[in-house]
Amino acid sequence: MPYHRSAIAPRTAVVVGGFLTALGQKLAERWLTLLVLPGALFLAVATAAHTLGQAHALDWRLLVSRVTGWAEEPAASTVGGQVVLLGAVLAAAAAAGLAAQGAGTLVQRTVLAADWHSWPSPLRRGARALVTRRRARWTSTVARYHRQLDNDALALARSGRRADPGVRHALHRALLRVAAEEPDRPTWSGDRLHSVVVRLERDHHVDLPLVWPHLWLTLPETARAEITAAEQRLTHASTLAGWALLYAPLTMWWWPAAPLAVALALAARHLIRNATEAYAQLLEAAAHLHVGDLADQLRIEHPGPPDTALGDSLTDRLRIRTPPPR
């Protein structure tokens, strides 16, 4: 039976309408979860700080009395006034959420510190001092770790029995708490991501910043989804640190905001480190598993797993060359 476009159009409209409705609901849920609810909590704490102050910090009866008085105001007792008040609260909560996300972006850039060499002079000097101190700690710890490796190997050669690995493992954990590779950033998280670049360049001659945009396009959907999810977890953890920054000024008017800000900062630090570790592992794994696929796409012959020859070939193929002067 022949079909007509007029018969298909209503079905298409229904499908598109259903898709847009579902998309709108999803966006509304994310807007409510990521911006409005945390923002509403922040507004509640800010209201308590403004109402109680330091002198009556824990006087909840005073807070309830003040809020009840505001609710009984004529402007808040009408339907129109309530609608306006609700809209203002939602707008203020969303604005606070956007401010926390902006602060979180700043926190993430500071924690990863990829561009610390271009920071303003005072910040750059502080970052350089941190790098120097972390590098000294790492050098001392790695020297102790390798001495323990030599001692364990010597004990095995002399007695034929393996030494207790507990000391060696403890030293290795202490080394990783400083950095996975020799520190080059002022923070642990920055060095953890930088260590992926260092290892791939040293062991396989793969220039990850150069190769990554091309490698991303060849990754299977599952790999890209995992990496994107890890990156989002890092962003959410940084936003939590942004909320800690917003709560911190409230402590000047209301001291109970201090433990809340400290708790958020400690939780954000833990989550940022975990998210950075997962993100770094996925980046390194993706490069190891799929750089050969990129070479196939570029028609580069290679013997199998990533090796230095393959890395050199990829770098030579993808490097942007500066045109000669005329």
Side-chain angles (χ1 to χ4, degrees):
M1 178 179 178
Y3 64 86
H4 299 280
R5 292 185 180 183
S6 58
I8 294 178
R11 298 181 184 178
T12 304
V14 170
V15 172
V16 173
F19 171 76
L20 293 178
T21 300
L23 180 61
Q25 291 175 348
K26 190 68 174 179
L27 292 176
E29 290 174 2
R30 290 181 61 84
W31 176 75
L32 182 66
T33 303
L34 298 179
L35 294 179
V36 176
L37 291 182
L41 177 60
F42 176 78
L43 291 181
V45 174
T47 301
H50 174 74
T51 303
L52 301 178
Q54 303 289 13
H56 306 280
L58 300 179
D59 192 348
W60 299 109
R61 293 181 179 179
L62 175 60
L63 180 62
V64 171
S65 175
R66 293 286 179 84
V67 172
T68 302
W70 295 336
E72 293 175 351
E73 291 287 335
S77 60
T78 63
V79 175
Q82 292 173 356
V83 170
V84 172
L85 180 61
L86 178 61
V89 170
L90 290 177
L98 291 174
Q101 288 186 349
T105 300
L106 180 61
V107 168
Q108 183 172 326
R109 289 195 61 180
T110 303
V111 167
L112 298 184
D115 56 347
W116 72 267
H117 291 283
S118 63
W119 288 358
S121 181
L123 296 178
R124 189 168 63 249
R125 286 197 299 269
R128 184 177 292 109
L130 287 175
V131 171
T132 301
R133 187 173 67 180
R134 298 184 69 252
R135 191 170 291 168
R137 286 180 56 202
W138 187 86
T139 301
S140 173
T141 307
V142 79
R144 288 188 288 125
Y145 174 66
H146 282 287
R147 280 198 302 270
Q148 188 63 41
L149 286 178
D150 294 338
N151 292 337
D152 289 352
L154 183 60
L156 179 62
R158 287 178 175 176
S159 64
R161 298 174 58 186
R162 295 187 60 189
D164 182 9
V167 177
R168 183 174 72 253
H169 292 168
L171 286 173
H172 187 255
R173 289 192 296 270
L175 176 64
L176 294 180
R177 283 196 296 269
V178 180
E181 297 286 341
E182 184 176 4
D184 186 70
R185 307 279 175 85
T187 63
W188 181 91
S189 295
D191 271 323
R192 182 62 187 93
L193 286 181
H194 182 65
S195 67
V196 178
V197 178
V198 171
R199 289 171 178 171
L200 290 172
E201 174 64 34
R202 180 189 62 211
D203 300 336
H204 306 293
H205 293 190
V206 172
D207 185 349
L208 187 60
L210 174 66
V211 169
W212 182 253
H214 309 272
L215 180 61
W216 177 258
L217 297 178
T218 65
L219 292 178
E221 189 61 33
T222 53
R224 287 196 285 183
E226 290 291 336
I227 293 173
T228 300
E231 188 176 14
Q232 289 176 347
R233 286 193 294 270
L234 178 58
T235 300
H236 293 162
S238 301
T239 301
L240 189 63
W243 281 114
L245 291 179
L246 291 187
Y247 277 102
L250 298 181
T251 60
M252 294 187 295
W253 295 278
W254 194 53
W255 67 260
L260 180 58
V262 171
L264 288 175
L266 292 177
R269 179 181 181 273
H270 175 73
L271 293 175
I272 287 174
R273 289 173 72 102
N274 286 349
T276 302
E277 176 66 29
Y279 187 44
Q281 289 181 359
L282 288 172
L283 291 178
E284 193 166 6
H288 280 293
L289 293 174
H290 299 287
V291 75
D293 298 336
L294 175 60
D296 292 337
Q297 293 279 350
L298 296 173
R299 305 293 191 271
I300 297 176
E301 296 184 0
H302 58 94
D307 59 3
T308 57
L310 175 57
D312 291 335
S313 299
L314 283 173
T315 301
D316 182 68
R317 177 69 64 85
L318 299 176
R319 184 178 66 248
I320 300 175
R321 292 169 173 79
T322 304
R326 294 182 179 180

